[in-house]
Amino acid sequence: MTRLSGITPSGHIQLGNHLGAIRRWAAEGKPEDLYFVSDLHAMTTSHNPARLRSLAGEQLAVLIASGISPDRVFVQSDIARELGALTWILECTCSYGEAARMIQFKEKSKGQAGVRLSLLTYPVLMAADILLTGASEVPVGEDQRQHVELARTLARRFNTTYGEVFTMPEAVLPPSGARVRDLADPTRKMSKSNQDSAGVVFVLDEPDQIRRKIKRAVTDGLSVPAYEPEERPGLANLLEILAACTGGDPAGIAAEHKSYGALKEATAEAVVETLRPLREGANALLKDPAELDRVRKAGAARAAERGEHRLQSALRLIGAG
Ligand code: AMP
Ligand code: TRP
């Protein structure tokens, strides 16, 4: 059972990424698992090359500081040649209709001029990420489930048409309700690509920035804390964040706090302490580019080596080389 997952450097890593995904990757990781920064996926819509490079390095540092072993991380573009080759093979295994049916493509391309072809083909690159490394379990959010399904379809089709090469992957979804919402607008999820970052706590935010954002979190006109996710989503979000950081349960935590002020203070301190080792660890790594570069090169070599025999077999079976 090998796990693989990626995080796209479309913005700075935020609290929801940590609580909903990365910290589980770190806790559940086995020696053969792989986690990567999917920088090639951050080019499917308008992007800035210098910002992308900087975000990719930052995300790699955050993954390591989160407790994922440096032996299990890599940056996607460092194995661009292998992935590019496999993507082409898989594109020759995928119909146009299958790609055009992807919900994310439909949503992101709707009403847009100059849609990049890569926005359509990006799930095939994602299939290549998964199939190259032979991952059997793919931890992702609900929005990526359809893409993992496509990877399964392509693996099955290739294996039955040309010969057995690929492992059948399976999506591993987080427990339901494990969603951190935006502090300024609790109707939407906290996201690293939100234009307005007032309601987004970034993992590398300074403690005072975190305290300020949580203090200003939108709640409701009531004054006594209670856990009512439907009626009081802003407050429920704070309770869920505090519970996720301290290990308690949201309803019990609500009963322990007499006022919104006290609850916000407790939440802010819990988030500051949860993120402290990440911020300190990532900043230390970012100050040591030689070490980060060494980890990056070793990770790329490991990931490429892991996939080499599958790529060679796939090329041979499909009639190339
Ligand atoms: P994304 O930032 O959408 O690329 O997501 C990367 C990973 O973080 C996925 O596994 C998501 O499910 C998880 N994630 C992103 N935002 C949140 C959030 N607000 N709450 C919980 N998990 C999240
Ligand atoms: N597309 C995923 C996202 O936006 C990230 C990703 C890229 C990924 N390649 C992957 C996740 C392979 C799992 C496996 O969240």
Side-chain angles (χ1 to χ4, degrees), residues 5-6 8 36 38 41 122 126 129-130 138 140 144:
S5 196
T8 304
F36 68 102
S38 46
H41 290 264
Y122 126 96
M126 182 163 160
D129 297 335
I130 296 168
V138 185
V140 281
Q144 296 293 320

Side-chain angles (χ1 to χ4, degrees), residues 7-8 14 16-17 20-21 25 140-141 143 178-180 189-190 192:
I7 183 150
T8 304
Q14 42 85 15
N17 296 130
W25 300 350
V140 281
D143 62 327
R179 274 263 159 273
V180 177
K189 73 167 192 168
M190 192 178 281
K192 59 176 140 62

Side-chain angles (χ1 to χ4, degrees), residues 107-163:
E107 281 175 356
K108 288 198 175 176
S109 60
K110 198 162 41 188
Q112 299 292 320
V115 171
R116 293 183 181 176
L117 183 57
S118 57
L119 190 64
L120 176 69
T121 59
Y122 126 96
V124 186
L125 171 60
M126 182 163 160
D129 297 335
I130 296 168
L131 301 182
L132 182 75
T133 47
S136 52
E137 295 183 342
V138 185
V140 281
E142 182 60 44
D143 62 327
Q144 296 293 320
R145 185 211 285 262
Q146 199 187 23
H147 295 162
V148 180
E149 264 321 301
L150 181 69
R152 286 173 66 83
T153 303
L154 301 186
R156 192 181 304 114
R157 188 172 298 147
F158 188 99
N159 286 350
T160 52
T161 312
Y162 302 109

Side-chain angles (χ1 to χ4, degrees), residues 272-309:
V272 165
E273 288 317 313
T274 299
L275 297 183
R276 186 185 300 283
L278 274 69
R279 191 183 66 253
E280 291 177 354
N283 285 337
L285 267 171
L286 290 167
K287 284 199 192 96
D288 188 355
E291 171 62 7
L292 207 54
D293 199 48
R294 192 193 61 72
V295 168
R296 218 177 136 147
K297 288 211 170 80
R302 225 173 274 119
E305 191 192 315
R306 180 90 72 91
E308 188 55 32
H309 67 101

